[in-house]
Amino acid sequence: MDIHVADGIGRGPTELAAYDAALSDAGVGDFNLVTVSSVVPADATVRAVDTAPDLGPAGDRLTVVQAHAAASPEDAHETESVTACLGWATGPGPGLFYEADGSDADAVRETVSTGLDAGRDLRDWTFDHEGTRCATVETDDSAYVAAVVVAAYGESEPIA
């Protein structure tokens, strides 16, 4: 199974509209997302992509791990941007994702790194590859903004 990691940013008149725009920018806006915790199956390959490929029909269920950051117009007076990051550590067996968000991009990246280190320490698995993907969006005093990084597990599946 391929796990595609894509990011997106969006703006909108509501927080949900901005989130929807960010998901669309990442290529997963037409699915019903089912969020899982952060374990990469042993048979999976994690691939960073610009935009998620065609993963199935609109309205299907898509399994994901996601990082999501949002800011309101009022937040623009306090911070210049928000960042969502998703990091992964993989090897010949299972692997891990770790997600974080916040207004300080460097701190968000550090949180992901620290989380991956802690996750590796909990497991007797071999890790030989690590990656991180972040999305940052500038705040806007006239719109809600959102940033997402989504790891989409395989293809979508029908809901019913």
Side-chain angles (χ1 to χ4, degrees), residues 5-6 8 13 19 26 29 33 48 52 57 62 64 73 102 127-128 131-132 136 138 143 149 151:
V5 179
Y19 174 61
L33 304 182
L62 183 63
V64 301
F127 299 97
D128 58 14
T132 303
T136 299
E138 292 182 10
V149 184

Side-chain angles (χ1 to χ4, degrees), residues 46-108:
V46 178
R47 301 183 188 287
V49 296
D50 291 334
T51 303
D54 181 3
L55 299 174
D60 271 7
R61 173 180 52 232
L62 183 63
T63 302
V64 301
V65 172
Q66 67 176 307
H68 168 222
S72 70
E74 293 78 24
D75 294 331
H77 303 289
E78 298 174 20
T79 186
E80 293 181 9
S81 62
V82 292
T83 298
C85 282
L86 185 66
W88 58 94
T90 58
L96 298 171
F97 282 112
Y98 195 90
E99 58 273 12
D101 64 86
S103 59
D104 180 333
D106 291 334
V108 172

